[in-house]
Amino acid sequence: MEGAIVSGSTQKSRQRAAGETALKAKSNFLVTPDGLTLKTYEIAPRHPNGKTAFLTHSQAQHSANLLPTAIGLAEHGYRVHMADLRGHGHSSGDR
């Protein structure tokens, strides 16, 4: 699944997003060797710096909590990857 992430919280920045500040985002699922599905996310920078960051959430959280950090990194040129760990967010597993 692909989409766009709009940085900034004001209406003006949202209006500019279509041509100026939108970041491309993709989500997918991967299957672990034991059959669980993990939800993954990738945010592509508009101006890549050739570097990649992988963010992981802490206990009792999910990747959406990392979105402000991910957006900030992408705005600085990083390709950002995140995943909901087992039993968190949109991933399967014991909760």
Side-chain angles (χ1 to χ4, degrees):
M1 178 185 306
E2 289 193 35
I5 295 176
V6 179
S7 60
S9 60
T10 67
Q11 185 64 25
K12 286 182 183 179
S13 67
R14 290 180 195 280
Q15 290 171 347
R16 272 195 323 245
E20 211 173 303
T21 60
L23 300 169
K24 290 185 180 180
K26 288 193 251 182
S27 64
N28 208 343
F29 283 96
L30 62 90
V31 180
T32 64
D34 60 347
L36 294 179
T37 56
L38 303 180
K39 181 77 171 194
T40 63
Y41 306 89
E42 177 185 355
I43 300 174
R46 285 184 358 138
H47 305 290
N49 65 15
K51 298 178 182 178
T52 300
F54 188 86
L55 304 178
T56 58
H57 59 79
S58 59
Q59 291 288 345
Q61 299 216 357
H62 51 84
S63 293
N65 299 106
L66 300 171
L67 201 52
T69 301
I71 290 170
L73 286 167
E75 287 176 338
H76 284 90
Y78 288 83
R79 179 170 302 279
V80 180
H81 294 273
M82 303 180 293
D84 286 335
L85 301 177
R86 294 167 174 255
H88 297 272
H90 295 285
S91 292
S92 61
D94 294 337
R95 303 231 184 262

